[in-house]
Amino acid sequence: AGAMAAAENAFLRARGRTLTAFRPDAEYQWKGPFYFIQGADPQFGLMKAWTHGDTNNGDDEWGEEIKLAEQAVQAINKLNPKPKFFVLCGDLVHGMPGTRWKKNQEQDLKNVLKNTDPDIPLVFVSGNHDIGNTPSRETIDEYCKNWGDDYFSFWVGGVFFLVLNSQLYFDSSKCPELRQAQDAWLDEQLAVAANQKCKHIIVFQHIPLFLSKPDEDDDYFNLEKSVRQEIMEKFHKAGIRAVFSGHYHRNAGGSYKGLEMVVSSAIGCQLGQDTHGLRVVVVTEEKVVHRYYSLTELGSHGVGKELLDMLAKQK
C-alpha cells in the first residue's frame, strides 16, 4: 500500500496553493543555473479522434499516445544532470469532463507518468480538456482530486513559478467567483515576488496569451484581446520573464515588452509540422533560454552541448 500511496502522491503535490515537492525556505536563494522540462498536451485519445474527424466521440483508442508518453518519460529519466521538475501544460487527456473514456485515459496516463524518476517532481497545469471549455466548480474540483490544485506557486533556486488556470480567463461564466479568487491570489503572489527579490518569475498556463503577436485577432488558440491585454500588462509590470503554454499543438510564440510568450507543441497529436517533443528550459542568473527537442532526439542525445555549457558556467 505504501508504494501505491507514494505513486498517488506524485500526482497530488500541488496542495494548499503551493507544490509540496519544494520547501520555500530552502528555495528562496539563487544557487546557480538549473533547468526544467516542459511538455504539453499528451491528450490521450486525440490522435484517433482527429484522424476520424470526430473530436467529440472518436477518442476510444489511445495506444499511440501511451507510447509517446512512455518515450517522453524514458527520455527525461535518462537526462544527466537531472531536471528540477517536469511540467505538463494541460490537456492531459482528450476526454472532456463527464465523457465516456476520460477516467480510463487518466488512469493510463498516470500509469505511464508514475515511472518518472521520483527525484523529478511532476507539475500539472489544467487545460480545457481537463476542466472543460467553460469550467464549473464541479469540473475544477474533480480535476483537483486527480491532479492537485488548479493554480499555485512555488520557488526553485531563487526563481518564482506561477501555475495558472487559463480556463478562468477563457470563460468563467459558470464560476465567476473562482476567477475573482484566482485574480486576487495572483495579485498577492506578485506582491510577494516583488518583496522577495526573486531572480525571475516564470508562468505556466495552458492557453497562450497570444500565438505570435500581442495584438493578433482572437482565435480558438489564444486569449480574448481585452483579457489578454490586461494580463500582459500585469505580467509586464510585475517583471515576469516568460509564459510557457501548450494548447496549439505546434511551436509558436513572440514577445510583449520583454515578456516572452513560449508556445510548445504537443507530446501527443501534432496539428502542424512539428514533431512530438519536449522543451528544455535553462534558467541562468541573467536569462531564460529554451529549446524544443523531438522525443527521439532528447532520448538519444540528451540536452545539447550549448545548454549544458550554460548550466556548468556559474557553478
Side-chain angles (χ1 to χ4, degrees), residues 99-116:
T99 56
R100 183 170 176 195
W101 305 108
K102 189 176 186 71
K103 287 259 185 295
N104 303 46
Q105 290 168 352
E106 290 187 322
Q107 195 48 58
D108 283 353
L109 178 61
K110 286 186 171 186
N111 291 343
V112 173
L113 291 176
K114 61 175 168 244
N115 296 318
T116 311

Side-chain angles (χ1 to χ4, degrees), residues 73-258:
V73 167
Q74 285 158 3
I76 290 168
N77 286 349
K78 276 169 46 184
L79 294 173
N80 184 20
K82 284 189 213 299
K84 286 282 185 188
F85 57 87
F86 172 26
V87 59
L88 270 168
C89 282
D91 281 3
L92 304 172
V93 303
H94 183 65
M96 287 277 185
T99 56
R100 183 170 176 195
W101 305 108
K102 189 176 186 71
K103 287 259 185 295
N104 303 46
Q105 290 168 352
E106 290 187 322
Q107 195 48 58
D108 283 353
L109 178 61
K110 286 186 171 186
N111 291 343
V112 173
L113 291 176
K114 61 175 168 244
N115 296 318
T116 311
D117 183 322
D119 292 335
I120 305 170
L122 297 165
V123 180
F124 298 104
V125 181
S126 62
N128 56 310
H129 283 263
D130 306 310
I131 58 177
N133 285 321
T134 307
S136 65
R137 189 174 279 276
E138 291 68 37
T139 64
I140 291 174
D141 285 350
E142 186 58 30
Y143 171 86
C144 295
K145 278 212 297 271
N146 264 311
W147 306 102
D149 287 350
D150 59 324
Y151 60 90
F152 54 96
S153 64
F154 61 100
W155 288 82
V156 176
V159 177
F160 191 46
F161 292 94
L162 291 160
V163 170
L164 298 179
N165 178 344
S166 55
Q167 288 318 118
L168 295 174
Y169 295 129
F170 186 79
D171 181 358
S172 62
S173 56
K174 283 188 186 164
C175 53
E177 73 290 356
L178 297 184
R179 158 93 190 254
Q180 287 160 350
Q182 177 171 262
D183 285 345
W185 172 86
L186 178 58
D187 290 341
E188 278 167 28
Q189 296 300 304
L190 295 175
V192 166
N195 284 338
Q196 280 291 349
K197 307 271 182 285
C198 53
K199 282 287 173 209
H200 306 291
I201 310 173
I202 293 173
V203 172
F204 300 118
Q205 59 187 54
H206 178 61
I207 302 181
L209 297 167
F210 57 88
L211 298 172
S212 57
K213 292 194 209 61
D215 60 350
E216 70 198 18
D217 291 339
D218 297 349
D219 183 306
Y220 172 75
F221 289 112
N222 62 20
L223 287 180
E224 192 261 318
K225 256 182 167 163
S226 61
V227 177
R228 179 198 317 167
Q229 189 54 45
E230 196 182 320
I231 298 172
M232 290 189 310
E233 208 34 50
K234 177 182 283 195
F235 284 5
H236 161 66
K237 287 205 174 93
I240 289 172
R241 180 57 66 114
V243 177
F244 288 88
S245 70
H247 189 50
Y248 192 43
H249 294 255
R250 288 160 276 223
N251 287 311
S255 64
Y256 172 80
K257 297 184 179 176

Side-chain angles (χ1 to χ4, degrees), residues 30-91:
W30 175 254
K31 304 187 188 77
F34 63 88
Y35 80 106
F36 62 86
I37 301 290
Q38 182 219 5
D41 303 89
Q43 206 157 339
F44 283 22
L46 175 60
M47 288 171 95
K48 180 176 180 206
W50 188 255
T51 22
H52 283 242
D54 179 2
T55 50
N56 293 327
N57 311 296
D59 61 334
D60 58 347
E61 284 173 27
W62 48 91
E64 197 55 42
E65 285 97 334
I66 290 178
K67 285 202 205 89
L68 290 162
E70 285 173 342
Q71 200 183 341
V73 167
Q74 285 158 3
I76 290 168
N77 286 349
K78 276 169 46 184
L79 294 173
N80 184 20
K82 284 189 213 299
K84 286 282 185 188
F85 57 87
F86 172 26
V87 59
L88 270 168
C89 282
D91 281 3

